[in-house]
Structure formats: C-alpha cells, structure tokens
Amino acid sequence: MAADFPKPFTTVDLAIFAVHAGVLNVLLVQRPDAAGEPFAGLWALPGGYVDVVRDTDLEACARRKLCEKTGVQSPYLEQLGSWGSATRDPRGWSATHVHFALIDGGGVALSQGANAADVGWFAVNTVLRRPRLAFDHAEILRAAVERLRGKAEYTSLPAFLLPEPFTLPELQQAYEVVLGRPVDKSGFRTRMLAADFLVETGQIDRGTKRPPMGYRLKRRAGPVVFPRTFSPRNGA
C-alpha cells in the first residue's frame, strides 16, 4: 500500500529568463542564512513545495510560484524535466519538477518571498562560469540554458522575451542574446515574416526619422517551428 512507503519531498523549481541591457539573465533567490537551513546563504532557482490544495497539477504549481516571485501571470512556460535522488537535499529523498519561463523583465517587481533572504537577476554566462548554486541547481540551470538555446535555433522562442510591440531588429537582437553569437542578417526579415507568427501593429517611435514597423505575436500558446535550423551553430 502507498502508506507503507515514505514520501519524498516534492517541489517545483523555475528557471526564469529575461533580457536586461542586452544580456540574458536568470532570476535567483538567496537561501536564508539560518541554522538548520540547507545551503544557507547560497543562491538558488526559485521554487517551492507542491501545495496539494491549491495546485491541480505541476504546471499550476509552477505558475503560482512564478506569479509569487515576479507578479507575471501568463508568460511562456515549458516543462524542462525532473531531478530526484536521495542526496540532492540533505533533509531527505527529494524530487523536483523543473519548468523554464521567458518573460519581459522590464518593470517586473520581484518578491523574495517568506523563505528567501534576497532575490535578483543575474547574467546567465556569469552564473555558469561560477556555478556555486544550492542543491543541484547549477546542473538544472545548464540544462535550461541548453534547451533554450537549442530551441532558438529552429523556433520563434526568443520573441517571448520581448515587450510588445517590437521591431524586427529588436527580434534579431533577442536571438543573438539567447544564442550568444551574431546572427546572419541576410534573410532574417524574410525568414521571420514567412513563418507567419507576427502581426503588424503599425509604425512605432524609436527616435528615428523613419519609424519602424512594430509587431506582436499572433499567438502566445507556443513558439512556431521553422522548417530548418535558424542559422549554423558555428556562427554567422
């Protein structure tokens, strides 16, 4: 019977990405520096325990935790995978179900929550170079970044990082920020418009003599898949 087996800790963690000053950032929370707290004072991905009363499923828990930390209700959210073992948490056998989210970070009011000492945005590349995070969150973050960059090669995913309306040059910059390399400009406009995932919103003021056309996403349920990879992985 199920009651005969000890239950593991069950949590949901989030890799929340946004772009700040042309750099891909991830949201981290600082563990409380208190006696008995595992990984006290270290930074970690935000998350928390599944609430069996409020959370109807894992995605509901992820959306609740995201809203608690950022106030954002409906970003792009995707399940990344699950991590579990008897050693990842010193308090006992634990399993976490990880999602990653893409949001427009501009104007987001962060909340550290009751069980965090601090909260903030950190440059992804800086964190990955010195990945001293709590639990196995460095491994999880690497997996999330690989998933994001891999899907950026053949989908419209980077568009979910932009505030609407945005211009095509701004969209190209979002691709370059995610991929961490320049993108071949030739054919970019044709590729994006041919994919039929954008809607024109009219010209927008960007302080130029000839105002550029603005765009928004036609639908936000998920990214559009391109018929071939966006550009060669060895750079453009």
Side-chain angles (χ1 to χ4, degrees):
M1 297 179 61
D4 296 332
F5 295 91
K7 293 179 172 58
F9 300 113
T10 304
T11 62
V12 167
D13 288 311
L14 288 159
I16 305 171
F17 297 107
V19 173
H20 296 281
V23 175
L24 184 65
N25 279 239
V26 63
L27 183 66
L28 298 177
V29 296
Q30 189 176 31
R31 301 279 302 164
D33 191 4
E37 285 287 346
F39 304 100
L42 291 186
W43 291 85
L45 298 172
Y49 292 103
V50 173
D51 187 325
V52 296
V53 176
R54 290 188 291 174
D55 302 327
T56 56
D57 54 27
L58 293 173
E59 183 175 322
C61 181
R63 291 193 180 279
R64 176 174 62 84
K65 299 308 296 185
L66 177 64
C67 186
E68 289 175 0
K69 298 299 181 184
T70 67
V72 175
Q73 293 282 355
S74 57
Y76 178 80
L77 191 69
E78 178 179 319
Q79 188 165 3
L80 176 66
S82 297
W83 279 255
S85 76
T87 58
R88 65 180 301 272
D89 189 327
R91 293 169 295 188
W93 216 110
S94 71
T96 187
H97 306 280
V98 184
H99 293 67
F100 77 87
L102 305 183
I103 68 173
D104 164 26
V108 169
L110 300 180
S111 174
Q112 65 191 56
N115 194 36
D118 202 356
V119 61
W121 292 105
F122 292 82
V124 164
N125 287 340
T126 300
V127 177
L128 292 179
R129 281 195 297 268
R130 294 176 294 172
R132 191 165 180 261
L133 300 180
F135 305 101
D136 48 5
H137 288 189
E139 175 189 344
I140 293 172
L141 177 59
R142 282 193 295 269
V145 173
E146 288 176 4
R147 172 76 66 85
L148 174 58
R149 286 176 174 164
K151 295 191 76 168
E153 294 282 355
Y154 63 92
T155 74
S156 60
L157 199 55
F160 287 85
L161 290 162
L162 295 172
E164 295 176 332
F166 52 81
T167 67
L168 288 178
E170 289 166 351
L171 180 57
Q172 180 175 337
Q173 184 183 38
Y175 272 92
E176 293 176 339
V177 166
V178 170
L179 293 171
R181 57 174 169 77
V183 168
D184 184 7
K185 186 177 180 180
S186 64
F188 180 86
R189 178 184 180 89
T190 301
R191 165 72 67 94
M192 294 296 103
L193 297 182
D196 194 31
F197 69 97
L198 300 174
V199 176
E200 291 185 355
T201 62
Q203 292 181 322
I204 53 179
D205 184 10
R206 287 292 188 263
T208 59
K209 292 183 178 179
R210 185 178 179 182
M213 179 60 66
Y215 296 89
R216 63 172 176 81
L217 295 177
K218 183 174 291 187
R219 55 189 295 272
R220 302 191 68 87
V224 169
V225 176
F226 302 145
R228 63 185 186 279
T229 56
F230 182 76
S231 57
R233 291 182 183 271
N234 61 356

